[in-house]
Amino acid sequence: MDYIIGQTPRPAGSAPAGNPPTAGGRPDPVMEGTQNTFMRDVVEASRDMPVLVDFWATWCKPCTQLTPVLEKVVRAAGGRVRLVKVDVDANRALAQQLTQIGLPLQSIPLVAAFWQGQILDLFQGAKSESEVRRFVENVLKSAGGALPAADLVEAARKEMEEGRAEAAASLFSQVLEIEPENPAAWGGLARALIEMGDEEGAETALNDAPESIANHAEITGAKAALELKREGRKAAEEAEGIRARIAANPKDYAARFELAAALNAAGKRAEAADELLTIMKEDRQWNDDGARKQLIRLFEAWGQTDPDTVAARRRMSSLLFS
């Protein structure tokens, strides 16, 4: 890959060529490529940042569908990745040479990701925006980077962990301006609004999430969190009476079930799990295995990798398989 179509690599330490700056002052990361500029714009440029090459042709209908999606995702990456579009018909010598080294250019569209002068990954055929974004995310991750949206989501989650829900909501909203179909941002925004006490806003956000991601775990988990918050608030209002019922009859499993909802609403996750696990231990069949099913709902609402979920699931597994 160091010598293509007789081109001379750029001198060490020199900057790769780029498009003129956009209105925002940043060079446009999308450009046309040819066999005369391939070494400079792709191979050498990939030593500074990942470069996607969109191999296309005017007669290829899937190409006309894919290229605008590629351009949108690459521009949203904020200068962390470049896109070079190469018409295989207008650059037959280059296409033939790349085919000889293994690129399957007989079937287009084909997108190849270059990093450090080598092909890092590729895909063929038209893809949805979410699939293209996932591809770019993986390329950037392999190159030690990340999409700006991924950075914002991580920052928002940190704000949530540190109890700054309003700041988290603002960051999640910024992500949605960049990626309107980002499930982590929709789910995170809803959870932040729940923490802020704006349950109506959280419900609106979940209803506004695109249908294409409605069944994503981030969305269904936030919905579960909202439902449990509402159930728990009602139980919390009756908590004193519920505890009195349990004191009078420790086997009042309905009261323990209600207390678990109240504890969860108060943020006492481990204690909520304790009540449900107690029911499971003493009467697994109570309410058609209701305690286990409620724990599963809690796990979904908390997040499958949340430390409280992991700890409670481990205890549940010990009960089920002991």
Side-chain angles (χ1 to χ4, degrees):
M1 200 65 69
D2 290 330
Y3 192 72
I4 293 180
I5 315 298
Q7 300 171 70
T8 303
R10 63 181 168 94
S14 63
N19 282 357
T22 62
R26 178 183 294 162
D28 189 351
V30 178
M31 64 185 65
E32 301 290 338
T34 71
Q35 56 198 30
N36 295 323
T37 62
F38 192 84
M39 175 66 76
R40 181 193 69 197
D41 292 343
V42 177
V43 178
E44 293 298 325
S46 75
R47 302 190 189 283
D48 301 309
M49 73 172 69
V51 178
L52 305 186
V53 184
D54 175 19
F55 294 100
W56 67 285
T58 55
W59 48 264
C60 170
K61 186 174 181 180
C63 296
T64 62
Q65 297 171 342
L66 176 63
T67 298
V69 176
L70 283 166
E71 293 178 352
K72 179 180 179 181
V73 172
V74 167
R75 287 192 172 108
R80 303 186 185 197
V81 64
R82 169 183 287 195
L83 174 64
V84 177
K85 300 181 290 184
V86 175
D87 182 340
V88 294
D89 286 342
N91 297 276
R92 292 183 181 275
L94 173 63
Q96 182 178 6
Q97 187 171 2
L98 292 175
T99 299
Q100 290 174 351
I101 63 172
L103 269 183
L105 290 174
Q106 301 86 347
S107 178
I108 56 173
L110 181 140
V111 175
F114 286 74
W115 173 240
Q116 296 298 306
Q118 303 296 324
I119 296 173
L120 179 64
D121 200 357
L122 58 83
F123 71 82
Q124 287 180 289
K127 302 288 184 183
S128 68
E129 183 177 335
S130 59
E131 289 173 317
V132 171
R133 186 179 299 109
R134 209 158 33 240
F135 178 81
V136 174
E137 285 175 347
N138 288 336
V139 167
L140 283 171
K141 185 176 181 180
S142 297
L147 284 174
D151 292 347
L152 287 172
V153 168
E154 184 177 350
R157 285 174 170 163
K158 185 175 181 180
E159 295 286 2
M160 285 288 287
E161 290 172 3
E162 296 178 358
R164 294 187 289 270
E166 189 170 349
S170 176
L171 289 169
F172 283 128
S173 296
Q174 290 179 47
V175 175
L176 292 175
E177 291 177 7
I178 301 170
E179 297 181 5
E181 293 188 3
N182 188 306
W186 281 108
L189 176 60
R191 289 177 185 275
L193 291 169
I194 292 170
E195 288 299 312
M196 293 163 62
D198 187 1
E199 294 177 15
E200 184 177 342
E203 184 173 21
T204 298
L206 291 169
N207 289 336
D208 287 346
E211 187 177 349
S212 59
I213 59 171
N215 294 321
H216 192 282
E218 294 280 0
I219 305 298
T220 58
K223 286 181 178 178
L226 179 58
E227 292 169 0
L228 288 165
K229 183 74 171 182
R230 288 171 169 169
E231 293 171 10
R233 185 173 59 253
K234 181 180 178 181
E237 293 170 355
E238 305 168 356
E240 186 175 344
I242 294 171
R243 291 184 184 278
R245 287 163 54 194
I246 295 173
N249 177 15
K251 293 187 179 296
D252 186 342
Y253 300 134
R256 288 190 180 278
F257 191 90
E258 293 171 29
L259 181 58
L263 290 167
N264 178 63
K268 299 178 179 179
R269 294 179 174 181
E271 293 178 39
D274 283 343
E275 296 299 332
L276 295 171
L277 289 165
T278 296
I279 297 172
M280 287 183 61
K281 183 177 181 180
E282 297 185 4
D283 186 352
R284 172 67 190 281
Q285 301 307 314
W286 176 82
N287 197 25
D288 191 24
D289 200 17
R292 184 189 63 82
K293 292 176 181 177
Q294 184 72 342
L295 264 176
I296 297 300
R297 289 183 69 204
L298 292 181
F299 296 163
E300 185 178 24
W302 298 345
Q304 298 299 335
T305 59
D306 185 273
D308 290 312
T309 296
V310 173
R313 185 189 290 117
R314 187 180 298 117
R315 294 175 61 195
M316 183 175 72
S317 297
S318 297
L319 283 176
L320 294 176
F321 302 109
S322 58

